[in-house]
Amino acid sequence: MKKKLRSVVKSGFAVFALAFLATSCSTDEGSVFDSPIDTGDESTIATLVINENDGSNDILVAEASGEVGTTVPGRIIYTSTKNQKRLYITQNISGSGEMPFNNFNIEGKDLKKALKGDGSVDLDGDTQKAIDFTFELPVPDIDNGEIVYQFWTTTGKGDFRDPTKRKALGVGTITVKVGNGTNPTANVREFTDIKLYAPAEDGSTETFFSLLNGSAYRIDKGPEYRAFWDFGYYYGASGDSADDKASFASTATYNDVFPFDVEGLEADATEENAATETLNNFYLELSSKTAADFDAITLSGDLNNISKPNFEKTTNLNVGDVIEFVDEYDKKGLIKITEIKAGYGTKDYIVFDVKIQP
């Protein structure tokens, strides 16, 4: 049983148009997705093949050359002994870092039926052991470099930054080369004027931050987004930590500073994969660098000398402080505090800038 869906993914410089064919359907509603596009000569299609039953013909890496303003056809054929429930797709333009594709414009179908909350593709995975997706990759406006697309499937909720989490099949990689295929020197990724609020016990505040996409998140939106969160903000707490003042703590250790469980931070028994859910560690400490040092950093290599701190929280922060960090995925970076509205109330906040390796 096939149903039709058209998807257009927009991220940075690129628009990623996907058309999907699901080779098995679990119900009349199916797994979706459009018939394969007509790409002409199949020998020109960058194709990934992964067959868990027989890996003799597997193709994990494919390449294509592209010119700005054109599209490059591609295809993934994944056959698993396990039920594939989600498809994760990332894109890396010119070495600027893997970013998720999660902004689909879908015609004729309910977006919620096509995507999970974290932006992965819902494969309707009761019996989804074989998938065959055909797509086009538009070439972004760059002079030289590589656009790298990664594809993997999972048996449940995965993680855009950790393909091993509940992996079914993958990772397959399609690389589109533009010009001479050489990426420029990598710059840091920058996020500015990030505002986090002191937490409410009911989880209704934007208190957690994601280095994946530079977004702040409400705690009570946890089930689909916890893998995005890296650290949270609080102002004091109670008991021994009452004098902490403005503070950051990793997602994994955040609850430790409170006499209560912050609602929505940790999984409950009703959630998918609750028993094996994990929270991100995040290692940080106050740096000897100044705000001027922070401002002067432009290249990823400028952050190489940061060593992994031993701590997962830092307290008594002040405007002008610079914090060194290494995240769960070994990316190094700096945080600069630019504003603090002191207090425990849910309208009290901290504002900061971030520079991190791509």
Side-chain angles (χ1 to χ4, degrees), residues 1 17 22 42 70 72 75 83 110 129 146 168 178-179 268 270:
M1 178 70 185
E42 288 195 5
T70 67
V72 175
R75 185 179 184 184
N83 294 328
D110 185 350
K129 294 183 178 180
E146 295 180 339
V178 178
D268 62 46
T270 65

Side-chain angles (χ1 to χ4, degrees), residues 62-120:
E63 292 187 355
S65 296
E67 296 181 2
V68 171
T70 67
T71 60
V72 175
R75 185 179 184 184
I76 61 172
I77 305 170
Y78 286 5
T79 305
S80 175
T81 61
K82 301 177 285 290
N83 294 328
Q84 302 174 93
K85 294 189 176 182
R86 301 189 184 203
L87 169 67
Y88 284 79
I89 308 168
T90 62
Q91 178 200 55
N92 187 339
I93 301 173
S94 298
S96 61
E98 290 81 12
M99 296 296 294
F101 283 102
N102 56 14
N103 185 21
F104 293 82
N105 295 320
I106 296 178
E107 298 175 6
K109 295 293 175 186
D110 185 350
L111 181 60
K112 292 182 179 179
K113 292 181 179 179
L115 296 181
K116 292 293 189 178
D118 66 349
S120 59

Side-chain angles (χ1 to χ4, degrees), residues 129-143:
K129 294 183 178 180
I131 58 175
D132 184 341
F133 296 176
T134 306
F135 48 86
E136 289 185 347
L137 303 173
V139 181
D141 188 7
I142 61 174
D143 293 328

